[in-house]
Amino acid sequence: MFQSAMTFCLTLMVVASPVMAADQGPVAAGRAEIAEQKAEVLEQGIVEGGSAARPAPAEAITRPGIRAVDPSGAEPLDDAITCLARAIYWEAKGERRGDMAAVAHVVMNRLADAGFPDTLCGVVQQGGEQGACQFSWWCDGRGDDVEEPRRYAIVKEVARQALNGQLADATAGALFFHQRTILPYWADDFTETARIGDFIFYKP
C-alpha cells in the first residue's frame, strides 16, 4: 500500500511536469497535489509504523510542495498538511521554531497512538462534533484562517519536517501539552515529559 501510493505520486510528477511547466498556476497546483498525496502516504506510514517512521528521500515532501499547499492559509482543513500546519499555527504561531516542533510532535504522536484517530485531520478535529475539542482553537467559534502569512510559512516548514520524520522529538513522546500559565484539571493525572518554551508536555 505504502509503496504503490508512492509509485503513483512519482508517476504523476513525471507525467504532469511537462504540461505544468508552461504556467505557474498549474505548476503550483500539481506540486500541491503531489505533496498532499505524499502526506497521505506518510500519514499512513506513521499510523502503521509509529511516529519515528521516516520516508526515503524520494518519498519525502519537498519545500516547493509544502509551499504550494494552502498558500494563503484559507483553504478548508481537509488534507494532512493543512490540518497539521494550521494546528501548529494556532497553538504556537508566536513561539520559537523549537516550540512549534514540539507542538507538531504531540499531533504526530497522537497519530501514531491507537487511542487517537488515524488521520491528522481526525486528530486535530477530534471532539469538535461534541463541542469538547482536543484543540480549543478548532471549536472556539472563531475563524481558522491564517492572519500572519510569514509566520504560517515558518509553520508549514515545521509541518513538512515533522511529516518527513526530520525532527527529533524533544517532548519524549508526549500526547498532551498546555501553556505554562494554565493548569488544566488533567495535569496531575499525567506524567510530565518536558518543558519547552511556553509549554509543558505530558504522557498518560
Side-chain angles (χ1 to χ4, degrees), residues 16-34:
S17 58
V19 176
M20 291 186 280
D23 186 336
Q24 183 59 31
V27 168
R31 285 176 176 162
E33 184 176 357
I34 291 167

Side-chain angles (χ1 to χ4, degrees), residues 2 38-55 84 105 107-114 117-118 120 159 161-165:
F2 187 95
K38 284 184 173 184
E40 286 183 15
V41 175
L42 297 175
E43 182 181 62
Q44 188 59 38
I46 292 164
V47 170
E48 295 173 358
S51 57
R54 186 168 182 171
L84 177 59
H105 269 293
V107 180
M108 302 297 284
N109 291 339
R110 288 186 177 195
L111 178 65
D113 189 287
D118 60 1
L120 285 167
Q161 293 175 341
L163 278 161
N164 286 346

Side-chain angles (χ1 to χ4, degrees), residues 150-169:
R150 290 188 179 182
R151 296 301 292 175
Y152 191 53
I154 296 170
V155 162
K156 285 174 67 182
E157 176 58 16
V158 171
R160 183 185 76 85
Q161 293 175 341
L163 278 161
N164 286 346
Q166 296 169 330
L167 300 174
D169 185 2

Side-chain angles (χ1 to χ4, degrees), residues 27-28 30-32 35 61-69 156-157 160:
V27 168
R31 285 176 176 162
I61 300 167
T62 65
R63 286 189 176 92
I66 203 81
R67 287 195 294 265
V69 176
K156 285 174 67 182
E157 176 58 16
R160 183 185 76 85

Side-chain angles (χ1 to χ4, degrees), residues 114-188:
F116 291 90
D118 60 1
T119 66
L120 285 167
C121 287
V123 168
V124 169
Q125 299 168 10
Q126 185 179 16
E129 62 276 9
Q130 288 89 27
C133 294
Q134 293 289 309
F135 297 95
S136 59
W137 63 270
W138 174 244
C139 62
D140 62 5
R142 293 180 287 185
D144 300 320
D145 290 356
V146 166
E147 299 170 348
E148 300 167 58
R150 290 188 179 182
R151 296 301 292 175
Y152 191 53
I154 296 170
V155 162
K156 285 174 67 182
E157 176 58 16
V158 171
R160 183 185 76 85
Q161 293 175 341
L163 278 161
N164 286 346
Q166 296 169 330
L167 300 174
D169 185 2
T171 75
L175 295 173
F176 301 90
F177 71 97
H178 63 79
Q179 290 184 313
R180 290 176 185 256
T181 55
I182 298 169
L183 185 61
Y185 69 90
W186 48 259
D188 290 339

